[in-house]
Amino acid sequence: MASVAVATLVAWLGNRYWTFAGRRRSSAPGELLAFVVANVLGLLIAAACLFVSHYVLGFTSTLADNIAGNGIGLVLGTLFRYVVYRRFVFNHADPAAR
């Protein structure tokens, strides 16, 4: 559990000070909370892909689980997170950065 918290914190710091440096909020705690929520939702997307593949479609092999969860779910979750980061988490453009 601690490793997940540390990884999330490091990812937030990297996004805040590097990827979206010119778009960060003045309120770091609110931004961190939005970041965590976006990550949890991205995780749920990957889990939903695995659930649908395994229990709804009946693809129960290890290969099918890996394709659904780590292939399709990872890609969809990553795309979702990027869009949410850009629109909702890091959405305060700094006029000086333009």
Side-chain angles (χ1 to χ4, degrees):
M1 184 71 168
S3 62
V4 173
V6 170
T8 301
L9 184 62
V10 168
W12 171 67
L13 289 170
N15 278 287
R16 179 174 171 81
Y17 293 105
W18 185 33
T19 307
F20 298 106
R23 301 172 58 88
R24 63 183 183 231
R25 297 181 188 187
S26 58
S27 168
E31 186 180 82
L32 177 59
L33 179 62
F35 187 83
V36 169
V37 169
N39 278 312
V40 169
L41 293 174
L43 174 69
L44 291 176
I45 288 172
C49 289
L50 179 60
F51 178 85
V52 167
S53 171
H54 196 90
Y55 295 106
V56 176
L57 300 177
F59 298 129
T60 58
S61 72
T62 304
L63 177 61
D65 286 349
N66 276 309
I67 290 172
N70 295 325
I72 297 167
L74 183 67
V75 168
L76 291 178
T78 299
L79 288 172
F80 169 81
R81 280 190 296 272
Y82 180 76
V83 169
V84 170
Y85 292 167
R86 187 156 175 83
R87 287 214 171 163
F88 301 107
V89 178
F90 302 104
N91 63 348
H92 298 282
D94 180 12
R98 291 183 187 185

